[in-house]
Amino acid sequence: MGELKVKEKDVVVPGEVLANGMDFLPGEGVYREKDDLIASKLGLVNVNGRLVKLIPLSGRYIAKAGDTVIGEVVDITFGGWLMNIGAVNNANLSIKDTSEYIGRDADLTQYYNFGDIVCVKINKVIRSKMIDITTKDQECRKLKGGMLIKINPSKVPRVIGKGGSMVSMIKEVTGCRITVGQNGVVWVSGTDSKKEKLARDVIKKIEKEAHREGLTEKIKEFLKK
Amino acid sequence: MAYTKRLDGRKFDEMREIEGKVGVVKNADGSAMFKFGDTVAIAAVYGPKDLYPRFMQNPKKGKLRCYYDMISFSVNERKRPGPDRRSNEIGLVTEKSLTPVLSLENYPNAVVDVFVQIVQANAGTRCAGICAASLALADAGLDMKDLVCAVSAGVVDGKVLIDIDKYEEDVEGMTDIPIAILPRTGEVSLLQLDGKVNREELKEALELVKKVSKKIHNAQKKALQEKFK
């Protein structure tokens, strides 16, 4: 019979035995060796029925299809653009995946130039190395002005909050426009720098205290001051 | 005269005080400090990132690069900074001892850079460096099969000792055996030998290292868990 060796939400290190027996299945960040399930990453244990997986606590962003991310144009090729979205490898934005019509002989820099910050959606990921992105989505657009804040990708769900409660609260109080990318890049644009600064401080605070409970209440109090 | 008592009063199978700390270099993707008594190593990991020049990229597998150096004030007589014969060698053995645990096939065309700096040296620097580097790699969130625990064993006057310090290292005719072990399986990923040793002594040294590697592993685990408390 299988036996689980760790508890839910335990911090485990690479090489730690999480469970033994064939009753459990290895998920993300877990591998099987003979009968044992072993952690291959530093992370939090998450058990869902028979599936044992790890929520990574650090490291680069792992691209997932359907995520909305913010990236920077780093290269332009014949077929489109290469963008840095914080993953190990650059993502590819093909001409046919853009929202605008682009003619055959068009100069691609007129659409997205080097260094442009663009909000994009991940279309397809092959073996977590080749990342195909698109701008054919409502949220996708070029981001002009404002500031970028980088946080740990694993803390993004806390910044967004349940059903977007946290981010909409920050938007309400600071009056800034905010876009949160799943890759941990947050774009903030407000009418004046003071408000942008407040939004940045709040987001940094959320990142720092992400593991605490009752975070929304605490941030509410912080914003009142 | 046989070596019956160690200079600092330790038992023959007793290590110096060990300590690990994670997240010491702010700008790195992962970093760690590891201490064996007075020997202090700091490791910083950058990457995985694209490997340049392009012709070195391998679409099947990523690459690990290790750099080892002693800071000039780490030893009694100033060490001329920068790579030299000894640093290059230790950088290479660090790389070789860490490669078996890393799942580099998950990072094609990429490189992981590890920089190990010895801040304070009192023998056993390569072992402290390997311990720190393996912590830093885990902190950087890389895919790893296991951590790596390294410690140096030695033979002085026919006595097998663990975690030798500078005074013991300088004894005429002593043998230095740095060993790195993967704690879960007990596999050996580094075994160097400097001096003369017979079969029984080497066996005993390996047994001792296996025994104390549990302590090192616990210290490493504690350091990693402490960062996320």
Side-chain angles (χ1 to χ4, degrees):
Chain A
M1 270 326 271
E3 189 197 348
L4 206 60
K5 296 264 175 137
V6 286
K7 287 196 296 285
E8 176 91 15
K9 282 195 172 174
D10 270 359
V11 179
V12 292
V13 300
E16 207 168 327
V17 179
L18 303 178
N20 45 27
M22 290 307 216
D23 289 346
F24 292 101
L25 300 169
E28 198 183 304
V30 184
Y31 71 99
R32 181 185 288 288
E33 199 177 288
K34 285 174 196 152
D35 265 0
D36 295 341
L37 288 191
I38 295 151
S40 70
K41 257 191 183 133
L42 178 69
L44 287 175
V45 180
N46 181 291
V47 186
N48 192 352
R50 293 173 63 199
L51 187 75
V52 183
K53 68 168 189 174
L54 292 184
I55 301 165
L57 284 167
S58 55
R60 301 263 158 149
Y61 167 63
I62 299 162
K64 219 167 62 208
D67 275 3
T68 305
V69 297
I70 297 171
E72 182 193 353
V73 178
V74 288
D75 200 2
I76 298 174
T77 61
F78 275 109
W81 298 265
L82 283 181
M83 289 182 60
N84 176 11
I85 58 166
V88 176
N89 301 86
N90 287 334
N92 186 34
L93 173 62
S94 156
I95 291 180
K96 67 176 205 293
D97 285 327
T98 51
S99 46
E100 301 97 339
Y101 170 75
I102 297 173
R104 273 189 71 189
D105 299 320
D107 178 11
L108 293 185
T109 55
Q110 289 192 339
Y111 298 91
Y112 302 115
N113 206 347
F114 295 103
D116 279 356
I117 306 296
V118 191
C119 180
V120 293
K121 196 170 183 182
I122 296 177
N123 210 5
K124 202 161 77 180
V125 181
I126 305 167
R127 293 200 306 137
S128 79
K129 286 114 214 170
M130 284 137 102
I131 306 163
D132 189 44
I133 49 180
T134 171
T135 56
K136 280 182 185 164
D137 195 74
Q138 282 188 327
E139 289 176 274
C140 298
R141 63 192 189 283
K142 207 195 274 187
L143 302 173
K144 288 170 191 156
M147 68 161 116
L148 289 177
I149 303 156
K150 280 188 184 141
I151 60 169
N152 192 320
S154 62
K155 308 280 162 69
V156 167
R158 294 313 299 261
V159 174
I160 295 172
K162 257 192 200 126
S165 60
M166 186 76 88
V167 75
S168 52
M169 187 174 76
I170 304 170
K171 274 182 194 169
E172 220 171 83
V173 177
T174 59
C176 292
R177 293 196 295 157
I178 300 173
T179 303
V180 186
Q182 291 291 330
N183 57 343
V185 181
V186 185
W187 177 77
V188 176
S189 169
T191 42
D192 66 88
S193 58
K194 244 186 198 161
K195 284 175 179 168
E196 282 183 354
K197 233 176 169 179
L198 178 66
R200 185 190 65 188
D201 291 347
V202 171
I203 289 163
K204 284 277 172 198
K205 195 178 163 70
I206 295 171
E207 191 198 5
K208 223 181 193 175
E209 299 182 5
H211 53 285
R212 299 246 175 97
E213 280 173 31
L215 189 64
T216 318
E217 290 300 312
K218 236 181 231 166
I219 296 302
K220 212 179 246 173
E221 271 171 41
F222 179 78
L223 281 170
K224 263 182 199 162
K225 269 185 236 167
Chain B
M1 202 186 81
Y3 194 59
T4 50
K5 208 173 169 189
R6 294 180 82 166
L7 276 165
D8 51 6
R10 279 186 285 156
K11 291 188 198 106
F12 291 119
D13 59 349
E14 194 181 341
M15 278 190 301
R16 290 173 281 181
E17 213 168 282
I18 51 171
E19 193 195 334
K21 201 177 170 196
V22 170
V24 289
V25 183
K26 217 177 162 190
N27 284 336
D29 291 313
S31 62
M33 182 272 299
F34 202 87
K35 255 187 202 174
F36 279 111
D38 285 340
T39 302
V40 183
I42 286 179
V45 172
Y46 297 86
K49 57 191 179 184
D50 277 342
L51 174 59
Y52 291 105
R54 195 84 176 260
F55 69 84
M56 285 170 81
Q57 287 186 359
N58 183 352
K60 286 182 187 157
K61 221 174 156 222
K63 193 176 158 66
L64 175 72
R65 277 193 302 213
C66 292
Y67 175 89
Y68 165 101
D69 199 9
M70 284 166 110
I71 295 181
S72 52
F73 54 78
S74 64
V75 271
N76 288 339
E77 198 159 326
R78 181 185 134 91
K79 191 245 168 206
R80 194 165 175 269
D84 52 25
R85 199 211 98 257
R86 184 177 167 273
S87 314
N88 285 335
E89 179 206 313
I90 297 178
L92 190 74
V93 299
T94 307
E95 201 178 293
K96 301 255 180 215
S97 68
L98 293 171
T99 308
V101 297
L102 276 175
S103 308
L104 283 169
E105 64 278 3
N106 292 346
Y107 305 107
N109 294 336
V111 64
V112 179
D113 275 326
V114 179
F115 295 91
V116 177
Q117 295 282 356
I118 305 301
V119 188
Q120 197 169 281
N122 187 8
T125 57
R126 74 190 69 191
C127 295
I130 290 170
C131 288
S134 102
L135 275 181
L137 286 168
D139 181 37
L142 275 106
D143 270 344
M144 288 168 90
K145 294 186 188 80
D146 208 343
L147 292 171
V148 185
C149 305
V151 69
S152 63
V155 184
V156 179
D157 260 350
K159 274 276 179 200
V160 181
L161 323 168
I162 208 81
D163 190 18
I164 46 170
D165 63 19
K166 189 72 187 145
Y167 299 108
E168 287 162 347
E169 200 181 55
D170 289 341
V171 172
E172 185 82 25
M174 77 81 64
T175 310
D176 183 13
I177 319 169
I179 301 172
I181 273 187
L182 316 188
R184 188 171 57 83
T185 55
E187 287 170 292
V188 176
S189 73
L190 167 78
L191 197 151
Q192 284 185 297
L193 178 67
D194 183 9
K196 278 183 185 165
V197 74
N198 61 37
R199 193 187 291 249
E200 280 71 38
E201 284 165 351
L202 187 59
K203 266 189 185 166
E204 197 187 334
L206 272 165
E207 280 308 309
L208 271 180
V209 170
K210 241 176 219 177
K211 210 174 90 193
V212 297
S213 72
K214 292 216 168 65
K215 275 187 199 160
I216 301 176
H217 186 228
N218 283 340
Q220 286 177 323
K221 213 168 129 182
K222 205 177 122 206
L224 283 168
Q225 286 172 342
E226 212 130 82
K227 191 190 170 188
F228 298 100
K229 218 157 234 176

